Amino acid sequence: MNTQQPSPRLFQPAGPLRGRLRVPGDKSISHRSVMLGALAVGETRVTGLLEGEDVMATAAAMRAMGATVEKSGDEWRIHGVGVGGLLQPAAALEMGNSGTSTRLLMGLLASHAITAAFTGDASLSKRPMGRVIEPLSRIGAQFTPSPGGTLPLMMTGARVPVPIEYRLPVASAQVKSAILLAGLNTAGMTTVIEPVPTRDHSERMLRGFGAELAVEEADGDRIITIRGEAELQPQTIEVPGDPSSAAFFMVAASLVPGSDLVIENVGLNPTRAGLVEVLRLMGASIEEMDAREVGGEPVADLRVRHAALGGIEVNPALAPSMIDEFPVLFVAAALAEGRTVTRGLDELRVKESDRLAAMAAALAAAGARVEETEDGLVIEGTGGEALRGTADEQITTHLDHRIAMAMAVAGLVSRNGVEIDDTRPIATSFPAFEALLERASA
């Protein structure tokens, strides 16, 4: 984050959200387009790249290992070094707040015989890396993490990496992707078995770049196999809008009376579109317009109008397809009619913050009725009545961008506004969030 001093802000009640807006490019696809572009031989061109701090950390790391990553007009151009061609970085790779950059790059480096140090900010340095270290160690990489398996961390990739078959103990797109990226430079077939499907951007993009990758279903499992020593071909990529960023505007427009908002170019990959399904089950009015496919990813413009929401029991099977959207779903639940129950959300305890505890405390401070359980929240909604808001209390965001943005949305539907302790983390994924929110509700 740019400045050292916290930047608190009071988000106040606002008028209807109207007009059209476009959210930044999808963060998951942006990370992967930079990484795979850096492993292809030739020039990859990317438009719509998310220019938040997390993706810029990935870009800086790939530059440090020999790739050219530069912006030219509205386009990013990446000249890759080829699979197996990454160079030893001269200094530690600074990951900022980006868990995605860290875990995916650890996978990438696991099958390259180079040594790298990973560092991050205070929030990232609390996040566990053991779930990635364990399978990558089987491939032959060596790790010296800080106590508790966290950053700062030193790793050395395998000189002769070994292909593995790995069954994911918990649903995690980052762990799956790390293993597949390690498999790119590993002779033979590397296999990941997913008991629960997670977002599949890595599989789609690896295929797009020319990797030999197969996906099959067997006994309820999803089995993904990649052939190593791949030769990746440069691509031209248009990054769709990030559904996790669009989520804040979907919920805000659903909750603020009189809203009629079009969010353009939103990625609707089925492994990411859980929030749209859940909001519709609650009664939201979300219309898909101009549905199309861009770079192998389904995309549409979403027209969202104010609607009365009702509480529901959220199916835990939907959690992987909307794991980052739960903070703002909790805000929707706080204004719905009746009770919303969420379960199976253990993963939220190891995000940028413990998002279950953080959102329970934040919503309670703003006047919502919330009960925290071991693996979810139970929220009694107001039936559309505005939340009280915060009085003299600041909401603690724990350096978590999604907590900050979710509570900004809560401020729009409060009587007294909601003050958060720090807006700086928002820049990690959505630098223009505050400006777009003001414009939409002006």
Side-chain angles (χ1 to χ4, degrees):
M1 280 164 264
N2 303 330
T3 54
Q4 295 308 306
Q5 291 301 316
S7 177
R9 176 168 175 184
L10 177 67
F11 288 89
Q12 295 182 301
L17 282 77
R18 295 184 178 276
R20 303 177 75 90
L21 59 80
R22 189 169 281 232
V23 297
D26 184 285
K27 188 154 71 117
S28 297
I29 296 172
S30 293
H31 279 301
R32 288 159 175 81
S33 63
V34 172
M35 289 183 195
L36 296 183
L39 290 181
V41 177
E43 183 180 77
T44 290
R45 298 184 169 201
V46 186
T47 52
L49 189 83
L50 171 62
E51 295 179 16
E53 291 172 358
D54 284 11
V55 176
M56 293 301 102
T58 292
M62 300 320 296
R63 282 190 205 103
M65 292 185 286
T68 302
V69 186
E70 57 194 11
K71 191 174 184 185
S72 175
D74 291 335
E75 191 174 64
W76 283 82
R77 297 183 180 182
I78 305 160
H79 287 269
V81 295
V83 171
L86 294 178
L87 304 177
Q88 175 89 30
L93 301 175
E94 172 51 57
M95 298 288 98
N97 188 241
S98 183
T100 304
S101 302
T102 308
R103 294 187 177 116
L104 267 57
L105 286 169
M106 285 165 63
L108 210 56
L109 267 62
S111 54
H112 286 74
I114 56 180
T115 296
F118 287 85
T119 58
D121 69 9
S123 167
L124 180 60
S125 297
K126 293 176 186 167
R127 297 178 68 181
M129 296 296 153
R131 60 171 65 175
V132 185
I133 290 172
E134 200 265 325
L136 297 181
S137 296
R138 295 191 193 185
I139 287 167
Q142 296 177 305
F143 297 88
T144 310
S146 296
T150 59
L151 302 193
L153 172 151
M154 182 76 74
M155 74 171 285
T156 301
R159 192 162 294 282
V160 184
V162 178
I164 63 169
E165 179 179 292
Y166 189 76
R167 185 181 180 85
L168 293 178
V170 293
S172 171
Q174 291 181 0
V175 178
K176 169 181 70 177
S177 298
I179 297 166
L180 294 175
L181 289 171
L184 277 175
N185 196 41
T186 301
M189 309 298 275
T190 294
T191 301
V192 181
I193 301 168
E194 275 192 315
V196 179
T198 63
R199 57 182 65 177
D200 65 353
H201 302 301
S202 293
E203 294 96 305
R204 287 173 185 250
M205 194 169 283
L206 281 162
R207 276 195 185 127
F209 272 86
E212 197 178 313
L213 181 138
V215 180
E216 52 190 71
E217 309 271 341
D219 301 324
D221 291 337
R222 194 162 171 270
I223 302 163
I224 307 131
T225 303
I226 190 166
R227 183 182 292 279
E229 298 183 320
E231 290 187 18
L232 302 186
Q233 308 302 317
Q235 300 297 307
T236 300
I237 297 168
E238 184 185 336
V239 181
D242 195 320
S244 298
S245 295
F248 301 101
F249 289 92
M250 281 191 255
V251 169
S254 296
L255 295 179
V256 178
S259 295
D260 186 348
L261 182 69
V262 175
I263 312 166
E264 298 175 344
N265 194 49
V266 180
L268 292 177
N269 182 308
T271 64
R272 296 283 301 284
L275 180 71
V276 175
E277 182 178 339
V278 169
L279 286 176
R280 283 177 174 154
L281 290 171
M282 295 175 77
S285 171
I286 303 174
E287 178 188 350
E288 292 173 31
M289 305 189 303
D290 188 20
R292 55 207 185 270
E293 193 164 287
V294 176
E297 294 276 350
V299 170
D301 301 338
L302 299 181
R303 183 182 184 188
V304 188
R305 285 173 275 196
H306 169 252
L309 303 184
I312 63 168
E313 199 156 317
V314 180
N315 183 348
L318 288 170
S321 67
M322 55 179 291
I323 198 69
D324 287 328
E325 288 78 81
F326 274 100
V328 78
L329 176 71
F330 296 147
V331 175
L335 274 289
E337 176 77 50
R339 170 181 291 192
T340 297
V341 179
T342 60
R343 293 177 289 113
L345 305 183
D346 316 69
E347 175 76 4
L348 291 187
R349 297 215 183 268
V350 292
K351 287 288 189 178
E352 283 83 335
S353 65
D354 176 342
R355 286 182 175 161
L356 290 178
M359 282 304 298
L363 285 170
R369 290 179 293 167
V370 189
E371 178 193 342
E372 182 183 348
T373 65
E374 191 175 328
D375 64 345
L377 298 184
V378 178
I379 300 173
E380 296 286 350
T382 65
E385 187 184 327
L387 296 172
R388 180 192 69 237
T390 53
D392 302 323
E393 186 177 358
Q394 279 185 349
I395 297 295
T396 304
T397 58
H398 303 277
L399 295 174
D400 189 326
H401 54 133
R402 300 207 193 278
I403 304 292
M405 289 185 279
M407 293 313 295
V409 172
L412 302 184
V413 287
S414 67
R415 293 195 297 275
N416 304 313
V418 169
E419 185 171 7
I420 67 171
D421 63 350
D422 200 353
T423 59
R424 292 175 304 156
I426 293 171
T428 64
S429 68
F430 200 162
F433 171 76
E434 293 171 81
L436 276 181
L437 196 62
E438 286 169 15
R439 196 181 88 202
S441 57

